Amino acid sequence: LSQFITCRSLLCCTLFSSLVLSVKSINLLLNKLQNLITDSRINISNIRKHRNNVERARENLDNERQELHRLIQETTIDQQNSWMEMQKMKEKVEADSIAAQFTIRKYQEGISSSIDVQTSTVALLQSKAQLLQCQLNYLYETRILDYYKGIPLWTESSKKRKD
């Protein structure tokens, strides 16, 4: 899962940076084309070649925008799924907590064994660990969506907190 998340993050960052580069390359090619048109010494074949380059760059930009849009939709769905999973895990932790308290109470009254207490507390700890993982996944998806919205991943105030 972490490799998928890392790979997906790298793909998103790569697409976003290539989208920026594509916009810059289109602007550069348009400037070249304008310069070529004003230069009377250039023949028509060079103008056509540069016009085709501009068209290819625009197509690449459109493709990358579509890919970025698809990734944003996918991340939004993942975030919603993470939220639902986190809510289910909260309910499971609450249920396991009640079960563990009940088992401890039974142990204190001599009805249950220490193995039963250990089993129920281990189940509670595992549920809590899964809840933390779900919360982390939800926060990760939220940060990715914030990044797509243009909100920086870290700011000066977050750097100060780490120090």
Side-chain angles (χ1 to χ4, degrees), residues 9-148:
S9 298
L10 290 174
L11 177 63
C12 295
C13 293
T14 304
L15 283 173
F16 191 72
S17 61
S18 64
L19 186 66
V20 171
L21 290 175
S22 294
V23 170
K24 289 180 181 178
S25 66
I26 286 175
N27 289 335
L28 182 65
L29 289 171
L30 284 174
N31 287 338
K32 283 184 179 180
L33 187 59
Q34 287 173 350
N35 291 339
L36 289 175
I37 290 172
T38 58
D39 190 1
S40 61
R41 292 175 283 138
I42 302 300
N43 60 18
I44 292 179
S45 66
N46 283 339
I47 292 174
R48 287 183 182 150
K49 183 172 70 171
H50 286 291
R51 183 189 65 208
N52 291 339
N53 288 341
V54 168
E55 288 301 318
R56 267 189 255 122
R58 282 186 182 155
E59 288 174 9
N60 289 339
L61 178 64
D62 287 341
N63 290 339
E64 290 179 16
R65 280 185 179 156
Q66 288 174 357
E67 180 67 17
L68 186 60
H69 183 68
R70 184 192 64 77
L71 285 172
I72 290 171
Q73 287 178 331
E74 187 178 297
T75 304
T76 303
I77 291 169
D78 289 345
Q79 182 196 32
Q80 292 168 352
N81 290 339
S82 295
W83 174 259
M84 289 187 289
E85 188 176 350
M86 186 173 64
Q87 297 307 313
K88 289 177 187 175
M89 286 309 301
K90 284 181 181 179
E91 294 172 4
K92 187 174 186 314
V93 166
E94 186 177 333
D96 286 347
S97 176
I98 292 169
Q101 290 172 358
F102 184 68
T103 305
I104 291 171
R105 178 71 181 187
K106 284 173 52 177
Y107 175 74
Q108 290 171 345
E109 294 175 1
I111 300 172
S112 182
S113 69
S114 62
I115 294 174
D116 294 334
V117 172
Q118 185 178 8
T119 303
S120 65
T121 54
V122 165
L124 175 60
L125 290 174
Q126 287 175 341
S127 296
K128 286 183 178 182
Q130 289 173 345
L131 174 61
L132 288 173
Q133 182 64 43
C134 291
Q135 289 171 336
L136 184 65
N137 288 342
Y138 175 74
L139 289 174
Y140 171 77
E141 299 295 340
T142 302
R143 292 298 295 240
I144 292 295
L145 285 174
D146 288 346
Y147 175 74
Y148 289 147

